[in-house]
Amino acid sequence: MQEIVIGKDRVSVAELIGKGGEGEVYAIKGRSRQAVKIYNTSLRGMREDKVRAMVGEGLAVKTDLVAYPGEVVTDRRGNFLGFVMRLVSGYRPLHELYSPKSRQRHFPKVDYRFVVHAARNVARAVGKVHQTGCVIGDLNHSGVLVAQDATVALIDADSFQFTLNGKSYPCVVGVPEFTPPELHGKNLASVQRTIEHDNFGLAVAIFHLLFMGRHPYAGRYNGPDISMGDAIGQNRFAFSLTRQSATQTTPPPGALTLDVFPDAIARAFESAFGITPSARPRALDWIHSLNTLESSLNHCSKVKTHYYPSNAGGCVWCKLTGNSGFDMFPDLTAVEPNIPTDARGTEEAIREILAFRFPTVADLLPAAATPRGASSVLRKARNGKRGRALMGLPIMAGAVAGFIYAAQAWFVWIGLAIWGWATLSDREVESGPFQHVFKDADERMQHELNAFVQRNGMIEVVKVRGDLDAAIAAYNGHADVLARELMMMKSNRESRQRQAYLDRFSIRRANISGIGPVKTATLVSFGIETAADVNQSAVLSIPGFGDVMTSKLLAWRRGHESHFKYDRTPNAQDVADERALRGRYAAEKAKLESTIRNGLGTLRNAKARLDALPTKARNDRALTDAFAARAQAEQDLRELGASVPASTVALTVTPPARPAPQTSRAPRVTTPTPPRVTTSTDRAINKSTTAGQIQTVSVRKVAAKSQLQLDVERAIKDGRKIQFLYKKPSDKYFKERTISPKEITEFNHTYQDGKTICVKGICDLRNAERDFAFKRMKELKIL
């Protein structure tokens, strides 16, 4: 055991705590709250003056948030060895809090409030350093430690820049991803560090925390691939809202965006990562901004461990969970399956809801008399047709006279006779224009019905009724879904074991040639945190990672995967997984029961108003006029012997996207053009929604090309891949897809008078050609 001298005391070092490039850190026997750092022999001469100056200035007693050198350590002959500092125990590196998977391992019970609070404490600790007259210089995620109570401590204080009696002791090191743009490419050993430089590193650390491990400069540049170091040097803040045209860079898929945060936070980040170093917020500015954020967090109504920025308008963690399947802040209390339920009371509520008399479309539409005959438009169309048909008689008479008096031109008179006969025979009015009139009248009917429901304050009741249908269906199928999930969990047991095994190997601790701190930070920003996250398509989609780097990462994963051994014996993890699954479903069932019972209360309270709706509908002039117009349109079609299109009128929560026409479009006919009139019909009441059934009306319209379609056309032209979130009708959540687009196609659907526009391409997931509908895509990125 090595003996050292601290002041006049001879003490022995205890166990090794850690080691790095500069030396080793040991516990001190008999001094439980202190540690000693002993430099490597080659560095002792270079570090001695600075350490003695820091100790002489008494920095260690000025704050307990920083592990400053407190006493000089020598050997028995008085030769300098290192220094004594505060022992920081029970703390974890900052990245283990902001990296999602590491957080769930080392901080399993924290929520976003804890993260924000820790960010504020980081700013407080940095502010304390500046108050002591030091500049950190090499502020990075390894030098900041955080405890289970969100308190923060800074280590490696002997590397801080320090000035005493006019002599400066510089900070000669730095981590590229925390180094400000103005210092990139410079020799840090010869640079005088400033508080503005620290303010940049502080902003990066806070950004890491608030954005779940994302780096502010790790994004997709709209140009040739550049490294994150180059992006920092070129001031390409990937999340900027005010400099998007200048940065030409967008955030990675699935990342939070600045606009979900309070304005104070968004402005602070824009200033911190802008082009003016002096405008960067200081530690005190961040403390005030983070106080504002912490006090304004909203609490999710679905998951009790979800707290989110109020500007988001909804729970961002639920949204991310739905898109990725990974919950940033899972509710571990849901693991307890002993959640009280009331099956009997819920079944009684369901029976009452299903028996509840909810007005149908037929109840709300007035009982108008069937029109007595054709509309004036149809009559004029018919008269015009008859008049033209009669013109065929003199034409045919002329042909007969020609045969008699000029037989040698017989071929002319045959043609004239055929023309006359065709004119005489063409007496039928085309039905197509009148079918369009019916559809316009039907849309107007829907618009007036929606307006009527809204005027009478029933929108929320209609929505609740629709939500109840969904909740009852989910409740009735709950046991079957749980049984399927349990079977699936047992069937993929080996895969889960492998995933858990690979999650033990962090990308930050990987020693892969060519992948240093900057590339590691980029990987983490794009969701590659452990060996389990590494796959070819995911890595190739990250800027700066080509085939060579991807093959190295895949080899690293395979190296760890080769040591995985499947354990077929049931173990505690199996019990915990099943318990967690049952607990989650028990919590969902309890929420469904609550939704059903509360919804029943809403229906009961609205019963009197619902019963009065049919009477009010009969006295509603706008609704009556719309119904009469549609009835006339139907009568016109029947007069023509044409089929009547099915009505799409239903009780809806959201009105149609475009205003309903005030007057229906007049049909274009081959006789003198009739005036624009309002016509409609209603034979389709018997096809309207049943009690309580909620439908969304699809409005026919011709739209210009969407931005999605324009972006895909550009990707096809440039031969580039695209990445987007996609949700099939059978999917519960959106899923990320990457494809090589080939062409844009259209599928006509005559049964619904519309078409679906798709992009056809090779899907990376299955290496097969597939069609993806634009209407089911969102958040498209060109790779």
Side-chain angles (χ1 to χ4, degrees):
M1 185 176 294
Q2 183 177 358
E3 188 177 72
I4 59 175
V5 178
I6 304 174
K8 296 181 179 181
D9 299 330
R10 292 187 176 185
V11 297
S12 298
V13 299
E15 71 275 6
L16 177 67
I17 296 175
K19 62 187 302 183
E22 291 191 340
E24 298 173 333
V25 178
Y26 293 90
I28 304 174
K29 191 174 182 180
R31 298 191 179 192
S32 59
R33 302 182 67 179
Q34 291 182 321
V36 58
K37 178 175 181 177
I38 298 178
Y39 287 108
N40 294 333
T41 305
S42 61
L43 293 176
R44 292 172 188 174
M46 291 183 286
R47 298 288 187 265
E48 182 175 358
D49 287 349
K50 183 176 184 179
V51 169
R52 288 187 182 277
M54 285 184 155
V55 171
E57 185 65 11
L59 297 177
V61 300
K62 293 183 178 181
T63 175
D64 59 354
L65 300 181
V66 185
Y68 277 121
E71 297 177 85
V72 175
V73 174
T74 64
D75 60 17
R76 284 180 294 179
R77 292 187 296 273
N79 296 316
F80 176 77
L81 295 177
F83 62 89
V84 174
M85 61 183 173
R86 169 195 168 197
L87 176 60
V88 182
S89 61
Y91 286 67
R92 308 294 306 184
L94 189 67
H95 66 79
E96 292 185 354
L97 174 61
Y98 64 64
S99 297
K101 289 186 176 181
S102 296
R103 179 175 61 252
Q104 294 192 0
R105 179 177 302 168
H106 300 292
F107 297 88
K109 296 182 180 180
V110 308
D111 56 41
Y112 197 61
R113 295 174 300 174
F114 181 99
V115 175
V116 175
H117 195 75
R120 188 180 64 181
N121 285 341
V122 172
R124 182 167 169 260
V126 172
K128 284 290 185 181
V129 172
H130 295 161
Q131 287 177 2
T132 64
C134 295
V135 174
I136 298 173
D138 183 25
L139 199 162
N140 63 78
H141 53 71
S142 297
V144 182
L145 305 181
V146 60
Q148 294 296 326
D149 60 356
T151 56
V152 167
L154 303 183
I155 60 173
D156 296 333
D158 55 317
S159 72
F160 293 179
Q161 179 176 286
F162 173 63
T163 302
L164 182 65
N165 298 328
K167 183 177 181 179
S168 178
Y169 300 92
C171 173
V172 299
V173 293
V175 176
E177 64 266 33
F178 282 81
T179 301
E182 62 269 23
L183 297 186
H184 271 258
K186 294 187 177 181
N187 181 5
L188 298 180
S190 60
V191 171
Q192 182 75 12
R193 305 295 182 88
T194 67
I195 289 178
E196 283 76 16
H197 299 156
D198 274 2
N199 291 339
F200 180 86
L202 172 60
V204 172
I206 292 173
F207 192 93
H208 273 318
L209 285 164
L210 300 189
F211 283 76
M212 303 291 98
R214 310 283 187 172
H215 192 281
Y217 290 84
R220 297 193 185 281
Y221 172 52
N222 186 22
D225 282 349
I226 59 174
S227 68
M228 191 170 70
D230 289 338
I232 296 175
Q234 297 171 17
N235 282 293
R236 298 191 186 280
F237 174 33
F239 294 74
S240 178
L241 299 177
T242 60
R243 295 195 302 118
Q244 285 180 333
S245 59
T247 65
Q248 291 291 299
T249 309
T250 56
L256 298 179
T257 51
L258 273 187
D259 54 2
V260 307
F261 290 92
D263 291 342
I265 294 290
R267 286 195 302 269
F269 280 128
E270 293 281 11
S271 298
F273 305 127
I275 58 177
T276 308
S278 60
R280 293 169 187 154
R282 294 178 172 243
L284 185 60
D285 299 325
W286 279 114
I287 291 172
H288 293 324
S289 297
L290 291 166
N291 279 335
T292 300
L293 173 60
E294 188 174 10
S295 64
S296 66
L297 292 177
N298 283 351
H299 193 191
C300 178
S301 61
K302 296 180 179 179
V303 182
K304 67 181 182 181
T305 51
H306 285 185
Y307 291 83
Y308 60 92
S310 57
N311 280 31
C315 182
V316 294
W317 313 125
C318 286
K319 180 181 178 181
L320 290 177
T321 303
N323 290 338
S324 68
F326 182 86
D327 193 342
M328 292 287 183
F329 300 98
D331 180 8
L332 298 181
T333 61
V335 173
E336 299 296 332
N338 297 323
I339 299 175
T341 60
D342 181 13
R344 182 176 179 181
T346 303
E347 292 293 341
E348 291 176 354
I350 290 174
R351 285 194 291 271
E352 185 173 346
I353 290 169
L354 295 179
F356 193 88
R357 181 70 175 89
F358 201 86
T360 66
V361 174
D363 294 330
L364 299 182
L365 296 185
T370 302
R372 294 184 177 180
S375 66
S376 60
V377 176
L378 180 55
R379 288 196 299 271
K380 289 181 179 179
R382 282 176 167 172
N383 291 337
K385 280 285 188 177
R386 291 191 187 101
R388 183 173 177 178
L390 291 176
M391 290 175 60
L393 292 176
I395 293 173
M396 293 178 66
V400 172
F403 272 114
I404 295 174
Y405 299 104
Q408 63 274 18
W410 58 270
F411 51 89
V412 174
W413 312 125
I414 290 178
L416 190 63
I418 293 174
W419 180 33
W421 177 255
T423 302
L424 182 63
S425 303
D426 184 18
R427 288 174 286 183
E428 296 296 328
V429 177
E430 294 180 6
S431 63
F434 289 90
Q435 287 181 327
H436 285 302
V437 168
F438 176 86
K439 290 178 181 179
D440 281 349
D442 201 51
E443 289 178 16
R444 180 190 171 196
M445 184 74 249
Q446 179 68 69
H447 176 79
E448 296 299 345
L449 182 59
N450 290 340
F452 170 77
V453 172
Q454 190 169 15
R455 282 196 300 272
N456 287 275
M458 300 306 296
I459 289 291
E460 183 60 29
V461 179
V462 172
K463 183 180 184 304
V464 167
R465 186 64 180 87
D467 292 343
L468 281 174
D469 285 341
I472 290 171
Y475 181 84
N476 289 335
H478 188 271
D480 291 338
V481 175
L482 174 58
R484 286 196 297 271
E485 287 283 344
L486 288 170
M487 290 180 61
M488 186 177 298
M489 186 179 69
K490 292 176 181 178
S491 67
N492 64 15
R493 184 173 181 269
E494 181 176 356
S495 175
R496 287 185 295 109
Q497 273 192 24
R498 180 182 290 104
Q499 180 85 4
Y501 175 79
L502 292 174
D503 269 336
R504 291 160 48 187
F505 304 100
S506 171
I507 194 69
R508 294 186 185 277
R509 294 193 294 271
N511 185 15
I512 304 173
S513 172
I515 299 181
V518 173
K519 285 192 175 295
T520 297
T522 302
L523 287 168
V524 173
S525 291
F526 279 81
I528 309 296
E529 190 177 344
T530 70
D533 301 321
V534 174
N535 64 72
Q536 187 173 25
S537 62
V539 177
L540 282 174
S541 67
I542 301 174
F545 284 81
D547 293 334
V548 175
M549 289 297 175
T550 300
S551 64
K552 290 182 179 181
L553 282 163
L554 291 173
W556 173 69
R557 173 189 166 122
R558 285 194 298 268
H560 289 300
E561 197 169 13
S562 64
H563 295 97
F564 168 72
K565 294 182 179 179
Y566 176 49
D567 183 6
R568 298 181 181 277
T569 306
N571 53 39
Q573 187 61 48
D574 296 323
V575 176
D577 289 344
E578 181 171 345
R579 187 178 179 84
L581 181 63
R582 290 186 180 276
R584 189 170 76 248
Y585 271 80
E588 290 177 1
K589 185 176 182 181
K591 290 177 183 176
L592 288 172
E593 289 183 350
S594 176
T595 298
I596 291 169
R597 290 194 296 270
N598 292 339
L600 176 59
T602 300
L603 293 183
R604 286 172 174 170
N605 293 335
K607 187 176 186 306
R609 288 184 293 153
L610 287 170
D611 290 343
L613 277 185
T615 301
K616 290 183 177 180
R618 286 192 291 271
N619 297 321
D620 190 283
R621 180 64 181 270
L623 201 58
T624 303
D625 289 348
F627 178 72
R630 196 178 66 174
Q632 183 63 67
E634 179 181 359
Q635 181 62 30
D636 282 351
L637 289 174
R638 297 201 176 281
E639 289 277 341
L640 293 172
S643 61
V644 179
S647 173
T648 58
V649 175
L651 287 177
T652 57
V653 175
T654 305
R658 69 174 185 179
Q662 294 303 307
T663 57
S664 299
R665 180 177 55 205
R668 296 178 60 187
V669 293
T670 55
T671 52
T673 305
R676 297 174 63 86
V677 296
T678 302
T679 55
S680 235
T681 188
D682 180 49
R683 173 61 64 104
I685 291 180
N686 56 352
K687 295 183 180 179
S688 59
T689 358
T690 56
Q693 183 180 356
I694 309 299
Q695 297 179 350
T696 301
V697 176
S698 176
V699 179
R700 295 180 298 109
K701 58 184 178 181
V702 178
K705 290 183 179 179
S706 66
Q707 186 61 47
L708 276 175
Q709 187 172 344
L710 292 173
D711 288 343
V712 171
E713 288 177 350
R714 180 159 58 92
I716 294 173
K717 180 180 179 182
D718 296 340
R720 298 167 68 178
K721 290 186 177 183
I722 58 174
Q723 189 176 72
F724 49 88
L725 298 179
Y726 194 78
K727 181 180 178 183
K728 297 185 294 187
S730 58
D731 290 338
K732 187 176 182 181
Y733 304 118
F734 280 90
K735 299 178 181 178
E736 189 175 272
R737 293 286 183 264
T738 302
I739 70 168
S740 301
K742 296 173 59 179
E743 61 177 336
I744 293 176
T745 59
E746 291 182 0
F747 293 99
N748 291 318
H749 301 296
T750 55
Y751 61 88
Q752 60 184 19
D753 196 23
K755 59 188 176 183
T756 297
I757 304 177
C758 302
V759 54
K760 183 189 294 291
I762 304 297
C763 179
D764 283 7
L765 182 64
R766 305 183 185 278
N767 195 28
E769 189 175 89
R770 287 189 55 195
D771 292 295
F772 296 86
F774 282 103
K775 64 182 180 182
R776 304 192 186 282
M777 296 165 57
K778 67 177 184 179
E779 298 185 18
L780 183 139
K781 306 285 186 184
I782 300 177
L783 305 182

